[in-house]
Amino acid sequence: MGMTERKAPGWLLWGVLLLLVLAQTQAALAKDLKDGPFVSGADVFAALLFGAWALWALATGQWRQLRWPPLGAGVLVAVALVAAGRADSPEATKSAVVDVAQYILYFVCVYLLVLNALTDEGRVWRVVGLLGALTVVMVLVALGQYVLWADPANPDETFRRVSSTFGLGEVIAASPLGQKLHLAGKSSRSIYGNYLLIVLPALFSVGLSLRTPKWTKPVLLATVALGMLTMLSGYHFWALAAILIALGLRQGPRPALLLAAAVVLFVAVSPLVFPRNYQANVVELMDFYEEGVRDEAAITDADFAGGELPTTTEVKKRWIEWQPALNMVGANPVLGVGTGGYQLHIGQNYGMLPNFEKIEPDTNCGWLVIAGSMGLLGLIAFAAVFYGAYRTAAAQAARASGEALRALSAGLAGSMLGVLLAMVFSNVLVRGLSITVIVLLALVSAVEGFGRPERDSDAAEANPNDTSDGG
C-alpha cells in the first residue's frame, strides 16, 4: 500500500507537533537534581499520546498498515534490555529500568508516532516548518543572552553562559511549583550546540533551495548565521561549519567557497570584533587545561590549616574522563557495566588520574557513555541507527520526488552527521534533545516513502504502452 493511501487521524499530527514543542522546554521531574533520574513532561505526554494512538490503531484496524522503525532501532532497544541485566546494585537496577524505558519510548513509541503521523508530504513540511520556527525563537533567545548576559570585556569567563534552548526549563524549575515538584530544566552551551548541530544542516539545505515564499530563504539563512554566532562551543562550531560547507557543494562550488570564505573572515576578525567567539572557537579549542580547579591533594594535606581553598591547573575533565571510560569498556567489552550505569561506575575506574569536580555539564563523550554502559554491542547498534539514516537520507537527496524533498534529504543527511559528531563532544540523548533527534530520524524514514516508487509510478503512467520486462 502506498504512502499516500495510509490514514492517520488529524489529532495525531497535532499531538506530534505539540510533543516537539514540549521537548524544547527541557523541564523534567527529578528525584535528585544532580543525578536524576529525569522524567520530562514531554516523555509523559509522549507515553500518553502513544497509548491513545495505539488504542485507535487497534480499534480501526490501522495497525496492519503501520510503518515501522528500521531494524537497527529495534536492535538498539534489545541490546539495552539485555545490558540492563548487568546491573549490580539496587541503584544500578533503578537506573537501568529508567534508561531502558526511555530507549523504548524514544526509539519505538515516539518513532512510530512521528513516522505514522507523516502520511503525506504536506505533513512532513508542517513538522519541518515548526522545527524551523522553534529554532528561530531559540536563536533569538540565545542572541539576547549573547548581547545582555555575556560580558565581552571578560570573554574567558562569560562565553559559556549562552546556552539557550529557550531557557524555559530553568524558569519553570525556579518557580515555586517547580521547586516543590523537584523540577530540573537547566540547559548548557553543549546542549544548545548539539541542537544547532543536528537541526541547522536541514534548515540550511532547505533554505538554499527554496524559492517561494520569498521570505523563507533569507529567514532560514539568517537563522543559520545567527546560530553560528551564538554557538559558543568551538567543537560544535567547526563541526557545523564543515557540514554546511559540504552541503553548499550540492549547489555548486560557488556557495561552498563563499561559505568557507565567510567562516575564515569571521574567525579572522573575531579577536577584535567577537572576542567571546574567539575565546570559544580558537583559544579554548587549543587549550586542554582547566584553571582554578580545587586542589584536593593540598586540602587533604596535614599542613592545610583551612581558609581559602587552594586551586591548581589540570587537564580538562572532559578529556581525563576518556581514560576511565575506556578502562570501563576494556573490563566489560561486550555489554558494558549495564544500561544506565555509566555515572555509577565511572568513579571506580579513575585509578591514579585526578577526579576533580566536573567544571561544566554535558561534556562527556557520548560514544564512551554508550560503550561503557552497553558495551561494544550497544555502541555498534547506536552507530548503525544513525549511519543507516545518513545513508538513506544521502540516497534520497539524489532520487526523492521534487527538488524540495531532495534538498530536505540532503540536509537530513547533514543532520545525521551532526549527531555522529555531537556524540564525540557531548550526548544527544539528554535534556530534551532525544525527542528532537527521533523526529529527525522519522523524517528520514518518511521522506524515503516519497522517493523512487512514486517516480517509477509516474514513468509508467507517462508510457503506458511499455510492457517490457527488461529481458
Side-chain angles (χ1 to χ4, degrees):
M1 179 169 287
M3 183 81 165
T4 56
E5 296 178 72
R6 295 184 300 109
K7 296 179 181 179
W11 56 262
L12 178 59
L13 177 63
W14 285 106
V16 166
L17 295 176
L18 179 56
L19 176 62
L20 186 57
V21 174
L22 289 175
Q24 311 315 322
T25 66
Q26 299 186 325
L29 183 65
K31 182 179 179 180
D32 183 278
L33 292 178
K34 180 178 181 296
D35 299 318
F38 302 96
V39 180
S40 73
D43 290 348
V44 175
F45 179 77
L48 293 174
L49 181 62
F50 178 79
W53 172 73
L55 290 175
W56 174 87
L58 289 171
T60 61
Q62 289 295 312
W63 62 270
R64 300 184 184 90
Q65 302 173 18
L66 297 184
R67 292 193 71 198
W68 293 87
L71 178 61
V75 171
L76 176 61
V77 171
V79 172
L81 280 166
V82 175
R86 297 276 300 165
D88 56 4
S89 68
E91 293 78 9
T93 299
K94 292 177 184 178
S95 182
V97 168
V98 172
D99 272 40
V100 168
Q102 289 183 323
Y103 274 108
I104 295 172
L105 178 66
Y106 300 142
F107 287 91
V108 178
C109 300
V110 174
Y111 208 136
L112 278 168
L113 283 172
V114 181
L115 182 56
N116 287 281
L118 304 180
T119 53
D120 58 61
E121 189 174 336
R123 291 185 170 208
V124 167
W125 288 111
R126 287 187 184 94
V127 171
V128 174
L130 177 61
L131 195 60
L134 289 171
T135 305
V136 168
V137 175
M138 196 176 292
V139 168
L140 290 176
V141 171
L143 184 63
Q145 294 176 351
Y146 185 93
V147 172
L148 299 175
W149 292 0
D151 182 4
N154 298 293
D156 58 331
E157 297 178 3
T158 60
F159 69 98
R160 294 174 179 172
R161 295 186 63 187
V162 178
S163 59
S164 165
T165 40
F166 291 143
L168 288 179
E170 295 184 59
V171 174
I172 296 172
S175 68
L177 179 61
Q179 293 178 356
K180 184 176 181 180
L181 296 176
H182 293 276
L183 295 183
K186 188 172 180 61
S187 186
S188 68
R189 62 173 177 146
S190 288
I191 295 303
Y192 178 57
N194 286 346
Y195 178 89
L196 296 183
L197 185 54
I198 66 177
V199 171
L200 289 187
L203 300 184
F204 177 74
S205 184
V206 170
L208 281 182
S209 300
L210 286 185
R211 299 291 180 265
T212 58
K214 292 184 177 180
W215 56 266
T216 308
K217 184 171 187 174
V219 167
L220 290 179
L221 296 185
T223 300
V224 172
L226 289 176
M228 295 191 75
L229 173 69
T230 56
M231 181 190 278
L232 297 183
S233 170
Y235 311 105
H236 294 88
F237 174 86
W238 290 107
L240 179 60
I243 292 173
L244 297 186
I245 291 170
L247 288 172
L249 283 172
R250 184 176 177 273
Q251 301 290 325
R254 187 170 181 269
L257 288 173
L258 286 175
L259 180 57
V263 170
V264 171
L265 179 63
F266 174 72
V267 174
V269 303
S270 62
L272 297 176
V273 184
F274 307 107
R276 285 162 291 178
N277 298 83
Y278 178 71
Q279 184 72 27
N281 299 335
V282 178
V283 175
E284 185 189 42
L285 202 68
M286 300 173 66
D287 186 1
F288 282 74
Y289 292 91
E290 189 80 53
E291 297 179 358
V293 177
R294 190 167 62 183
D295 191 342
E296 301 290 351
I299 293 172
T300 56
D301 188 88
D303 294 332
F304 180 62
E308 185 176 352
L309 296 177
T311 60
T312 184
T313 297
E314 296 280 3
V315 174
K316 291 177 182 176
K317 187 170 181 179
R318 70 183 304 161
W319 307 124
I320 290 177
E321 194 162 292
W322 284 40
Q323 182 59 57
L326 289 171
N327 293 341
M328 189 188 302
V329 177
N332 309 276
V334 180
L335 289 171
V337 298
T339 308
Y342 182 87
Q343 289 297 338
L344 294 173
H345 292 83
I346 188 65
Q348 305 166 15
N349 290 273
Y350 271 82
M352 299 299 294
L353 292 173
N355 186 12
F356 54 85
E357 185 177 350
K358 179 176 281 296
I359 302 298
E360 188 176 4
D362 306 312
T363 55
N364 304 88
C365 173
W367 292 115
L368 292 177
V369 172
I370 295 289
S373 57
M374 296 193 296
L376 296 179
L377 287 181
L379 180 69
I380 293 170
F382 188 89
V385 170
F386 293 97
Y387 181 68
Y390 163 75
R391 291 284 301 272
T392 298
Q396 288 301 112
R399 70 188 188 197
S401 55
E403 172 56 25
L405 282 181
R406 289 194 289 274
L408 175 59
S409 296
L412 289 172
S415 294
M416 295 303 104
L417 284 179
V419 170
L420 296 174
L421 291 173
M423 288 290 289
V424 177
F425 316 117
S426 184
N427 198 327
V428 298
L429 298 183
V430 292
R431 301 189 192 272
L433 281 179
S434 306
I435 288 173
T436 305
V437 169
I438 297 300
V439 168
L440 291 168
L441 279 172
L443 280 170
V444 173
S445 298
V447 173
E448 187 181 14
F450 303 117
R452 188 175 298 278
E454 290 189 11
R455 296 181 68 187
D456 291 346
S457 176
D458 293 342
E461 292 179 5
N463 190 9
N465 295 321
D466 184 1
T467 59
S468 63
D469 58 5

